[in-house]
Amino acid sequence: MGESTMMLKIKRVPTVVSNYQKDEADEPKGCGRNCLKQCCIQAAKLPLYGYKWKNVSVKGTDSSNCVSKGLPVSFLDSLVLGEWEERMQRGLFRYDVTACETKVIPGEYGFIAQLNEGRHLQKRPTEFRVDKVLQPFDEKKFNFTKIGQEEIVFQFEASECGEVQFFPEAPIEVENRPNVVAINVSPIEYGHVLLIPRIFECLPQRIDHESFLLALHMAVEAANPYFRLGYNSLGAFATINHLHFQAYYLAVPFPIEKAPTKEVATLSSGVKISRLLQYPVRGLVFEGGQTLDDLSKAVSDSCICLQNNNIPHNVLISDCGKRIFLLPQCYAEKQALGEVSAELLDTQVNPAVWEISGHMVLKRKKDFEEASEQNAWRLLAEVSLSGERFQEVNTLIFDALSCRVDESTNPAQLDEPDAESQPQDDKEAAYQAMVTRKHECIVQQ
């Protein structure tokens, strides 16, 4: 009996939390466009979610300011979905993503295919070079300070007292470097939002320690394994050069989350680094650590290393912030060199973090109807670095983390298995080497 295709239906969530209220009779303020520029922002008030942070020092805090009593554990979920649904009812999205067909493709991995014919027609075009990971912010090009206040869902800040706080209306204080969560007006899935760290600092799309830790805190606060955050560097299909993370809900496991892994290093902080096995895209997986800061620092240090070496990459924050996938890629480079087949180019799929993770956003009905695990695997294999190049990237990352492989060991073993040949037997010899520096670690195989 052949395998059947499982169709997915988006469950609409009623607006149980909606704090953005607009009185149409009010006189327009500022320029009248309700923008995030100086002309309008001074009088603006938006909801503020204060997230719980770890390693709280009781010294100097005033618990009387905490208003977490009575808030359910899933409050952030309710806030995101309720506010997102309210924006949907007001027609702020470019298309109705809930009308897009979605199915789980039969096969071992369960790749997810979505037919989204409107996204590439209405999505903002890329306005910068794709061959440089680090590029300066350009205020003349589109950036998130140009969106309307109605697109902002809430402010997202560390709580003043260490426990969850929520304020339905709070002023936007530019001098306090606010982080905001905004809707993605060209959504891939239900609840698709953007986390924009320190929005008014106009940071370019590049990872830093503070911003990545913020993204991890959002994953932890959501406390929902179906809520993932993703990051695309320039050159890895980020389309806006203004620092942001994406996030949305999808109530099935991503194929990459089901792929086996093999531990290759352990940092002194307890962070474990593994490599993906039996998956078309080569990558590293980070998990563990004594604190959330430990995990965040290991990943952000690795991303900074890739940025400084002009290596495009994608990041998936999974499992409520417990597992992080770091995925260097080269698809745009292959496109520029004419090394991608015309058949793949015709699909117009730009494999960013969601596609690499196994959620294939397809733009043609033909590709959706013919979607198969083999086709998904073939596309993603083109995204992956070669075995030799991936080993070189591993060496750069481990050097950045002060991890070194023993010279008597063949470092090419870090690269196996070959992504182009699907699963294969593990025949590698065990080894380990230990060094002490910024991140003391054990590299093992």
Side-chain angles (χ1 to χ4, degrees):
M1 181 180 294
E3 295 179 274
S4 60
T5 298
M6 183 175 77
M7 300 299 294
L8 299 179
K9 296 292 184 182
I10 293 177
K11 182 180 179 181
R12 300 288 290 274
V13 175
T15 306
V16 294
V17 179
S18 181
N19 299 291
Y20 183 90
Q21 302 295 329
K22 183 178 179 181
D23 187 347
E24 297 296 340
D26 284 350
E27 290 292 328
K29 298 180 177 64
C31 69
R33 296 194 302 108
N34 202 33
C35 70
L36 292 180
K37 298 295 186 181
Q38 195 66 27
C39 54
C40 299
I41 202 66
Q42 292 181 345
K45 289 188 177 181
L46 291 169
L48 188 153
Y49 184 100
Y51 61 82
K52 181 177 181 179
W53 43 279
K54 306 299 181 182
N55 302 329
V56 177
S57 171
V58 295
K59 184 177 180 180
T61 61
D62 182 3
S63 60
S64 65
N65 289 328
C66 289
V67 291
S68 60
K69 291 182 179 180
L71 294 181
V73 174
S74 60
F75 181 72
L76 182 62
D77 260 5
S78 299
L79 180 63
V80 169
L81 292 174
E83 294 283 355
W84 194 92
E85 178 74 19
E86 192 265 353
R87 301 316 193 275
M88 185 177 188
Q89 292 174 356
R90 289 167 55 192
L92 296 185
F93 297 98
R94 294 181 172 179
Y95 50 82
D96 182 5
V97 72
T98 65
C100 295
E101 290 183 80
T102 300
K103 64 183 179 182
V104 176
I105 301 172
E108 178 183 356
Y109 283 84
F111 285 95
I112 305 116
Q114 180 196 88
L115 177 60
N116 194 328
E117 295 175 291
R119 191 167 196 264
H120 76 292
L121 298 175
Q122 302 189 53
K123 189 173 181 289
R124 291 187 180 95
T126 301
E127 297 183 299
F128 48 83
R129 296 175 58 176
V130 298
D131 61 341
K132 286 189 178 295
V133 173
L134 297 180
Q135 298 180 45
F137 181 87
D138 186 347
E139 64 178 7
K140 296 178 182 178
K141 292 182 168 60
F142 175 82
N143 63 78
F144 297 115
T145 67
K146 298 183 179 183
I147 67 177
Q149 290 178 33
E150 66 275 9
E151 294 180 40
I152 304 293
V153 179
F154 54 86
Q155 302 175 72
F156 187 69
E157 307 293 341
S159 167
E160 293 179 351
C161 63
E163 297 298 326
V164 174
Q165 295 177 293
F166 180 70
F167 304 94
E169 287 191 334
I172 301 177
E173 299 175 343
V174 176
E175 63 275 12
N176 288 339
R177 309 161 69 225
N179 313 301
V180 302
V181 175
I183 60 170
N184 187 332
V185 295
S186 299
I188 288 176
E189 263 299 342
Y190 194 73
H192 193 165
V193 294
L194 305 171
L195 172 63
I196 310 166
R198 312 191 309 274
I199 183 171
F200 296 111
E201 291 188 11
C202 296
L203 302 169
Q205 184 74 343
R206 61 185 299 176
I207 292 287
D208 62 69
H209 294 113
E210 181 180 348
S211 299
F212 195 79
L213 181 59
L214 181 76
L216 282 193
H217 274 296
M218 188 173 189
V220 172
E221 285 293 309
N224 185 332
Y226 295 134
F227 180 78
R228 293 100 165 174
L229 286 94
Y231 172 84
N232 303 315
S233 80
L234 302 188
F237 299 102
T239 56
I240 298 170
N241 188 20
H242 189 174
L243 181 58
H244 65 286
F245 297 82
Q246 301 186 46
Y248 63 72
Y249 294 84
L250 188 65
V252 292
F254 279 176
I256 199 171
E257 295 171 330
K258 299 189 288 185
T261 61
K262 182 174 178 60
E263 186 179 334
V264 296
T266 303
L267 306 183
S268 60
S269 61
V271 174
K272 295 180 180 179
I273 306 175
S274 305
R275 58 182 171 81
L276 284 171
L277 302 176
Q278 301 173 19
Y279 198 73
V281 181
R282 295 177 173 88
L284 296 175
V285 185
F286 295 74
E287 55 193 325
Q290 298 169 11
T291 67
L292 194 67
D293 290 19
D294 292 333
L295 181 57
S296 177
K297 190 173 190 311
V299 179
S300 55
D301 280 347
S302 301
C303 291
I304 291 169
C305 169
L306 296 182
Q307 290 169 174
N308 292 339
N309 285 278
N310 199 37
I311 300 170
H313 54 281
N314 308 91
V315 181
L316 177 71
I317 300 174
S318 174
D319 196 14
C320 304
K322 297 184 181 72
R323 298 180 77 205
I324 302 165
F325 297 80
L326 178 56
L327 305 150
Q329 70 144 294
C330 60
Y331 192 80
E333 178 184 354
K334 286 184 176 179
Q335 279 183 309
L337 295 173
E339 296 177 357
V340 179
S341 70
E343 183 181 1
L344 289 180
L345 291 176
D346 286 345
T347 67
Q348 303 178 62
V349 173
N350 294 327
V353 61
W354 307 121
E355 288 80 7
I356 292 174
S357 300
H359 188 190
M360 315 301 292
V361 181
L362 303 174
K363 300 163 183 173
R364 302 189 305 181
K365 193 169 186 63
K366 170 181 179 292
D367 297 323
F368 181 78
E369 293 173 344
E370 297 175 358
S372 66
E373 184 166 286
Q374 182 179 8
N375 288 344
W377 193 284
R378 195 157 60 90
L379 169 66
L380 295 184
E382 290 295 324
V383 176
S384 182
L385 300 186
S386 67
E388 180 180 1
R389 180 60 179 145
F390 183 63
Q391 186 273 317
E392 293 172 354
V393 170
N394 275 335
T395 300
L396 290 172
I397 290 173
F398 290 141
D399 281 350
L401 299 176
S402 294
C403 301
R404 291 188 179 178
V405 179
D406 185 75
E407 292 182 358
S408 64
T409 305
N410 178 8
Q413 292 175 341
L414 285 172
D415 154 63
E416 299 300 330
D418 186 355
E420 296 171 0
S421 58
Q422 293 208 26
Q424 69 177 35
D425 294 334
D426 190 338
K427 300 179 180 178
E428 303 163 9
Y431 72 92
Q432 64 180 28
M434 182 171 180
V435 296
T436 56
R437 277 197 194 175
K438 178 175 59 179
H439 287 288
E440 183 179 90
C441 68
I442 296 175
V443 181
Q444 55 191 12
Q445 196 79 3

PDB file of all heavy atoms in Angstrom, residues 64-77:
ATOM      1  N   SER A  64       8.086  44.454  44.041  1.00  0.00           N
ATOM      2  CA  SER A  64       6.744  45.035  44.049  1.00  0.00           C
ATOM      3  C   SER A  64       6.311  45.491  42.667  1.00  0.00           C
ATOM      4  O   SER A  64       5.129  45.689  42.407  1.00  0.00           O
ATOM      5  CB  SER A  64       6.686  46.222  45.025  1.00  0.00           C
ATOM      6  OG  SER A  64       7.537  47.269  44.582  1.00  0.00           O
ATOM      7  N   ASN A  65       7.296  45.673  41.763  1.00  0.00           N
ATOM      8  CA  ASN A  65       6.976  46.104  40.404  1.00  0.00           C
ATOM      9  C   ASN A  65       6.582  44.943  39.498  1.00  0.00           C
ATOM     10  O   ASN A  65       6.201  45.149  38.358  1.00  0.00           O
ATOM     11  CB  ASN A  65       8.159  46.844  39.781  1.00  0.00           C
ATOM     12  CG  ASN A  65       8.373  48.206  40.422  1.00  0.00           C
ATOM     13  OD1 ASN A  65       7.417  48.833  40.844  1.00  0.00           O
ATOM     14  ND2 ASN A  65       9.615  48.642  40.498  1.00  0.00           N
ATOM     15  N   CYS A  66       6.734  43.717  39.976  1.00  0.00           N
ATOM     16  CA  CYS A  66       6.432  42.556  39.148  1.00  0.00           C
ATOM     17  C   CYS A  66       4.926  42.374  39.048  1.00  0.00           C
ATOM     18  O   CYS A  66       4.209  42.474  40.047  1.00  0.00           O
ATOM     19  CB  CYS A  66       7.071  41.293  39.729  1.00  0.00           C
ATOM     20  SG  CYS A  66       8.857  41.291  39.561  1.00  0.00           S
ATOM     21  N   VAL A  67       4.456  42.100  37.846  1.00  0.00           N
ATOM     22  CA  VAL A  67       3.019  41.930  37.641  1.00  0.00           C
ATOM     23  C   VAL A  67       2.748  40.584  36.981  1.00  0.00           C
ATOM     24  O   VAL A  67       1.824  40.450  36.202  1.00  0.00           O
ATOM     25  CB  VAL A  67       2.449  43.074  36.769  1.00  0.00           C
ATOM     26  CG1 VAL A  67       2.488  44.376  37.519  1.00  0.00           C
ATOM     27  CG2 VAL A  67       3.197  43.190  35.454  1.00  0.00           C
ATOM     28  N   SER A  68       3.561  39.587  37.317  1.00  0.00           N
ATOM     29  CA  SER A  68       3.423  38.286  36.661  1.00  0.00           C
ATOM     30  C   SER A  68       2.313  37.441  37.279  1.00  0.00           C
ATOM     31  O   SER A  68       1.912  36.437  36.702  1.00  0.00           O
ATOM     32  CB  SER A  68       4.744  37.518  36.722  1.00  0.00           C
ATOM     33  OG  SER A  68       5.132  37.312  38.064  1.00  0.00           O
ATOM     34  N   LYS A  69       1.808  37.825  38.445  1.00  0.00           N
ATOM     35  CA  LYS A  69       0.768  37.033  39.076  1.00  0.00           C
ATOM     36  C   LYS A  69      -0.465  36.985  38.190  1.00  0.00           C
ATOM     37  O   LYS A  69      -0.941  37.994  37.693  1.00  0.00           O
ATOM     38  CB  LYS A  69       0.416  37.623  40.440  1.00  0.00           C
ATOM     39  CG  LYS A  69       1.530  37.483  41.478  1.00  0.00           C
ATOM     40  CD  LYS A  69       1.101  38.029  42.818  1.00  0.00           C
ATOM     41  CE  LYS A  69       2.211  37.853  43.861  1.00  0.00           C
ATOM     42  NZ  LYS A  69       1.806  38.398  45.183  1.00  0.00           N
ATOM     43  N   GLY A  70      -0.987  35.784  38.006  1.00  0.00           N
ATOM     44  CA  GLY A  70      -2.175  35.623  37.205  1.00  0.00           C
ATOM     45  C   GLY A  70      -1.928  35.414  35.729  1.00  0.00           C
ATOM     46  O   GLY A  70      -2.852  35.095  34.990  1.00  0.00           O
ATOM     47  N   LEU A  71      -0.670  35.590  35.270  1.00  0.00           N
ATOM     48  CA  LEU A  71      -0.372  35.370  33.854  1.00  0.00           C
ATOM     49  C   LEU A  71      -0.137  33.876  33.630  1.00  0.00           C
ATOM     50  O   LEU A  71       0.653  33.256  34.328  1.00  0.00           O
ATOM     51  CB  LEU A  71       0.878  36.147  33.434  1.00  0.00           C
ATOM     52  CG  LEU A  71       0.773  37.674  33.457  1.00  0.00           C
ATOM     53  CD1 LEU A  71       2.085  38.287  32.981  1.00  0.00           C
ATOM     54  CD2 LEU A  71      -0.377  38.159  32.602  1.00  0.00           C
ATOM     55  N   PRO A  72      -0.820  33.281  32.662  1.00  0.00           N
ATOM     56  CA  PRO A  72      -0.606  31.856  32.394  1.00  0.00           C
ATOM     57  C   PRO A  72       0.777  31.609  31.802  1.00  0.00           C
ATOM     58  O   PRO A  72       1.406  32.519  31.245  1.00  0.00           O
ATOM     59  CB  PRO A  72      -1.709  31.526  31.382  1.00  0.00           C
ATOM     60  CG  PRO A  72      -2.000  32.830  30.713  1.00  0.00           C
ATOM     61  CD  PRO A  72      -1.799  33.888  31.764  1.00  0.00           C
ATOM     62  N   VAL A  73       1.230  30.355  31.903  1.00  0.00           N
ATOM     63  CA  VAL A  73       2.545  29.997  31.375  1.00  0.00           C
ATOM     64  C   VAL A  73       2.618  30.284  29.883  1.00  0.00           C
ATOM     65  O   VAL A  73       3.647  30.691  29.356  1.00  0.00           O
ATOM     66  CB  VAL A  73       2.836  28.503  31.658  1.00  0.00           C
ATOM     67  CG1 VAL A  73       4.138  28.081  30.993  1.00  0.00           C
ATOM     68  CG2 VAL A  73       2.905  28.255  33.158  1.00  0.00           C
ATOM     69  N   SER A  74       1.497  30.093  29.179  1.00  0.00           N
ATOM     70  CA  SER A  74       1.473  30.268  27.726  1.00  0.00           C
ATOM     71  C   SER A  74       1.101  31.693  27.321  1.00  0.00           C
ATOM     72  O   SER A  74       0.632  31.920  26.206  1.00  0.00           O
ATOM     73  CB  SER A  74       0.480  29.283  27.109  1.00  0.00           C
ATOM     74  OG  SER A  74      -0.822  29.506  27.631  1.00  0.00           O
ATOM     75  N   PHE A  75       1.322  32.653  28.210  1.00  0.00           N
ATOM     76  CA  PHE A  75       0.864  34.012  27.928  1.00  0.00           C
ATOM     77  C   PHE A  75       1.513  34.591  26.680  1.00  0.00           C
ATOM     78  O   PHE A  75       0.857  35.253  25.879  1.00  0.00           O
ATOM     79  CB  PHE A  75       1.128  34.925  29.125  1.00  0.00           C
ATOM     80  CG  PHE A  75       0.670  36.334  28.908  1.00  0.00           C
ATOM     81  CD1 PHE A  75      -0.682  36.650  28.885  1.00  0.00           C
ATOM     82  CD2 PHE A  75       1.577  37.356  28.689  1.00  0.00           C
ATOM     83  CE1 PHE A  75      -1.114  37.945  28.672  1.00  0.00           C
ATOM     84  CE2 PHE A  75       1.156  38.653  28.463  1.00  0.00           C
ATOM     85  CZ  PHE A  75      -0.201  38.955  28.458  1.00  0.00           C
ATOM     86  N   LEU A  76       2.819  34.362  26.479  1.00  0.00           N
ATOM     87  CA  LEU A  76       3.474  34.908  25.295  1.00  0.00           C
ATOM     88  C   LEU A  76       2.860  34.327  24.028  1.00  0.00           C
ATOM     89  O   LEU A  76       2.655  35.036  23.042  1.00  0.00           O
ATOM     90  CB  LEU A  76       4.978  34.639  25.329  1.00  0.00           C
ATOM     91  CG  LEU A  76       5.767  35.224  24.145  1.00  0.00           C
ATOM     92  CD1 LEU A  76       5.658  36.742  24.123  1.00  0.00           C
ATOM     93  CD2 LEU A  76       7.221  34.802  24.192  1.00  0.00           C
ATOM     94  N   ASP A  77       2.552  33.020  24.057  1.00  0.00           N
ATOM     95  CA  ASP A  77       1.866  32.399  22.922  1.00  0.00           C
ATOM     96  C   ASP A  77       0.554  33.123  22.619  1.00  0.00           C
ATOM     97  O   ASP A  77       0.258  33.466  21.481  1.00  0.00           O
ATOM     98  CB  ASP A  77       1.555  30.931  23.252  1.00  0.00           C
ATOM     99  CG  ASP A  77       2.556  29.982  22.633  1.00  0.00           C
ATOM    100  OD1 ASP A  77       3.532  30.451  22.030  1.00  0.00           O
ATOM    101  OD2 ASP A  77       2.366  28.768  22.766  1.00  0.00           O
TER     102      ASP A  77
END
